[in-house]
Amino acid sequence: MASYLRSWLLPQSPNVPAPAIVKSSSSVSPSPPGAYLSDDDNDDTETIRGDSPEHDDAPPAFPSMSNVQRLSSAPSPSTITPIPRILTDSERMPPPPSPGLVNARRPGLTPPSASNRNTLGVPSSGNLLSLPPTSSKPPKVSRKVALAPGHGPLDWANLKKSGTNLRGVNSLMRITPSMLKQHNKREDAWSAFHGKVYNITPYLPYHPGGEKELMRVAGRDGTRLFSLTHAWVNVDYMLDECLVGFLVNEP
Ligand code: HEM
């Protein structure tokens, strides 16, 4: 009786098989004697060693181990794999920056300072978020003049359609530079544009740039000055009813 109790209170000696470790072929399958003693050569013995996950639900050995036996066979704390801890919000990776701070975090770009921000907090310059300058030129000052009442663009269009003879001649002519030069008075002003000669006298009070400007080309070729001022204006359409002829070279 005493030896029986001692065998349960003391750890098992190495030559006595531990009752909890089932290695006996009789408990599993009828293997030939000695087959379960082989460590590596037999696959069947591998499946019943207890280190396989499939063996976790094996029934406890009988008789069960004492406290001393359990302590001696328990794994040391250093061999226990720690269970991963769930991170709190503050320990997780920070969220991506908001769009307004993207440039401030880019290397090589200076973050927008308070000095180059307007009252709305929008960077005014030196930042990709700022609007590009639309033009480096100063704003163009209009040189248009105030036309007399009844002398607007629509009034000119109506005059052209009225059938009034705006040419001052009965037929189209071949006009040399010397002939053109004789028509340089306000009441009789001709000017050449793109090889065509027009009577500009009826148009003088309708010219948005003023009579004075238009009279600069009276009696001569005004193509260059016209193109420098407003190349986009369709003079052929504007003065089609004022055509008097075509510019030709001197004979
Ligand atoms: C007979 C031919 C010409 C016609 C049909 C004509 C027509 C016009 C028109 C339609 C405009 C208004 C343009 C706009 O609204 O943007 C204009 C403006 C003007 N034109 Fe003429 N033009 C003629 C000849 C000339 C010539 C020869 C000069 C210069 C010597 C001249 C000087 C000007 C100027 C300074 C303005 C004002 C431009 C501005 O600041 O907006 N034009 N002209």
Side-chain angles (χ1 to χ4, degrees), residues 184-195:
N184 60 354
K185 308 286 184 294
R186 193 197 174 284
E187 296 74 26
D188 180 23
W190 289 4
S191 185
F193 301 99
H194 309 297

Side-chain angles (χ1 to χ4, degrees), residues 140-145 191 193 200 203 207-210 212-217 222 225-226 229-230 232-235 238-239:
K140 185 174 172 268
V141 179
S142 175
R143 292 193 292 156
K144 284 189 199 172
V145 300
S191 185
F193 301 99
I200 59 173
Y203 184 67
H207 180 228
K212 195 179 166 191
E213 281 292 303
L214 192 48
M215 276 304 291
R216 290 171 62 189
V217 294
L225 212 45
F226 178 92
T229 314
H230 39 45
W232 61 91
V233 173
N234 189 340
V235 64
M238 297 277 295
L239 300 182

